[in-house]
Amino acid sequence: MVHNLKDNVFVYRGPEEVSGALAKFLVETINESISTEGICTVALSGGSTPKTLFRVLAGKYRGSVDWSSVGFFWVDERCVPPDDPESNYGMTMENLLGRIVIHPSCIHRIIGENDPDREAVRYSGEIRKFVHSRDGLPCFDIILLGVGEDGHTASIFPGSEELFLDKRICVSATHPVTGQRRITITGKVINNGSCVVILAAGRGKSAIIGEVLGAKRAGTGYPVGRVSPEKGILLWYLDSEAASGIDRAADDLSPVV
Ligand code: 6PG
C-alpha cells in the first residue's frame, strides 16, 4: 500500500519500491528542467540508501535522459580519495555515472583528497560557476538528501545547526563520532533548492523521521528537521519501515492510486 501524507510524504512498501518510484519522479523532473532550461543541476547525497535508486536510474532509465544535459554535484563528500570505499563519488560512479552515457565535464566531483578547508572554497567556486543563482545563492534544480539516525543530513550534524545560517556555499565538517573530515553544502543552499527530496529506508530511520514528521513535529531542531525550501518543494520518499514511526492521524494517510 502506498500512502501520500498530505505534506508530500510518499510511503512505499520497501527499498526497491521507493527507489523505483523516486527514479521515475526524478527522470520526469530532470527532463522537464532540460526541456525548459536546457540543463538540470542535481546535487546527490552519498551513503548507502541511494545505491538502489542509482541502479534503477542507470538501468531502467539509462536511455530516458540526455545525461550530458545534467550537471551532477554532491551534497557532501568524505575527505578520502575517490577509490576509497567511503567515497560518495566512488559509490555514485559505481552505481550510476559509470553506467550511463555522460560527458565527464558534467560530473563535478568534490576532491576528497584535497585539504578540506581549501576544497570547501574551491567547490563553492565550482558550484557558483555552474549552478544558476536565485536570491544570491546557488539554486540546484534537484537536491537529493538522506537522513542519519542522529538527524543529520548532508554532513550537517546535530550541534552544527548554525550551518543553516552560514552564508558560505560549502564548508568543511567533522563527523562527531568517527572524526572523519567532510565537505558539505550548507543549509541555506539546501533550502534554496527548487526540488529537495529526502530519501530514507529501513527501520533505523523510523525514530528520527517519526520525530520530524509526527503530529508533534518534535524533530524540527535536528538538521534534517530544518530542511524547508523557501521557494522550492520538499518531498519525502520513504519505505514503510522508515515511515513506521510517524504517528499521524489515520485520515492523513490517503491511498495513492
Ligand atoms: C553521507 C551522506 C549522508 C547520508 C546519511 C544517510 O555522506 O553519508 O550524504 O548525509 O545521506 O548519513 O546515509 P545512509 O543512506 O547510508 O543511511
Side-chain angles (χ1 to χ4, degrees):
M1 169 68 82
V2 169
H3 295 304
N4 172 10
L5 290 173
K6 283 177 183 156
D7 46 9
N8 291 329
V9 178
F10 299 90
V11 181
Y12 294 84
R13 193 188 331 279
E16 292 73 21
E17 290 83 359
V18 67
S19 297
L22 180 52
K24 179 175 184 294
F25 170 77
L26 290 178
V27 165
E28 291 165 355
T29 306
I30 289 170
N31 283 333
E32 172 65 24
S33 179
I34 292 171
S35 66
T36 55
E37 308 295 330
I39 186 173
C40 183
T41 54
V42 181
L44 299 172
S45 276
S48 56
T49 304
K51 289 178 183 175
T52 306
L53 168 66
F54 291 170
R55 287 292 180 104
V56 175
L57 289 171
K60 180 176 181 181
Y61 295 104
R62 187 174 189 279
S64 303
V65 175
D66 171 15
W67 296 106
S68 286
S69 295
V70 181
F72 281 103
F73 298 77
W74 277 263
V75 158
D76 65 344
E77 182 59 276
R78 293 81 178 275
C79 293
V80 296
D83 58 354
D84 188 298
E86 280 284 299
S87 169
N88 288 338
Y89 165 82
M91 182 276 286
T92 311
M93 283 303 292
E94 181 184 345
N95 293 285
L96 173 57
L97 300 178
R99 298 168 180 264
I100 57 176
V101 176
I102 185 168
H103 195 279
S105 64
C106 300
I107 300 172
H108 302 272
R109 172 171 88 93
I110 298 174
I111 305 175
E113 61 271 34
N114 278 355
D115 168 80
D117 294 326
R118 280 204 291 270
E119 178 58 14
V121 173
R122 187 204 68 82
Y123 200 61
S124 298
E126 183 151 347
I127 290 174
R128 270 264 183 243
K129 184 176 174 184
F130 291 99
V131 179
H132 78 276
S133 288
R134 180 176 62 196
D135 301 336
L137 279 171
C139 175
F140 283 102
D141 296 308
I142 296 171
I143 298 178
L144 176 67
L145 297 175
V147 52
E149 296 183 18
D150 61 354
H152 80 259
T153 194
S155 284
I156 304 176
F157 296 96
S160 301
E161 286 79 8
E162 76 281 358
L163 292 179
F164 274 85
L165 301 173
D166 199 304
K167 291 186 173 23
R168 291 171 291 176
I169 296 171
C170 285
V171 295
S172 62
T174 303
H175 191 291
V177 176
T178 65
Q180 185 183 57
R181 297 301 305 277
R182 301 280 187 97
I183 306 289
T184 186
I185 63 173
T186 54
K188 278 185 174 291
V189 175
I190 290 173
N191 284 333
N192 204 39
S194 293
C195 176
V196 181
V197 182
I198 299 176
L199 169 64
R203 188 162 299 280
K205 310 295 173 73
S206 62
I208 197 70
I209 291 170
E211 286 193 62
V212 173
L213 294 179
K216 301 183 190 66
R217 287 284 193 275
T220 51
Y222 294 110
V224 72
R226 294 171 187 258
V227 175
S228 178
E230 288 172 24
K231 296 183 179 174
I233 59 169
L234 172 60
L235 305 174
W236 292 74
Y237 273 76
L238 307 173
D239 75 349
S240 54
E241 288 204 340
S244 59
I246 303 173
D247 63 345
R248 302 285 286 270
D251 64 1
D252 272 349
L253 286 173
S254 51
V256 171
V257 176

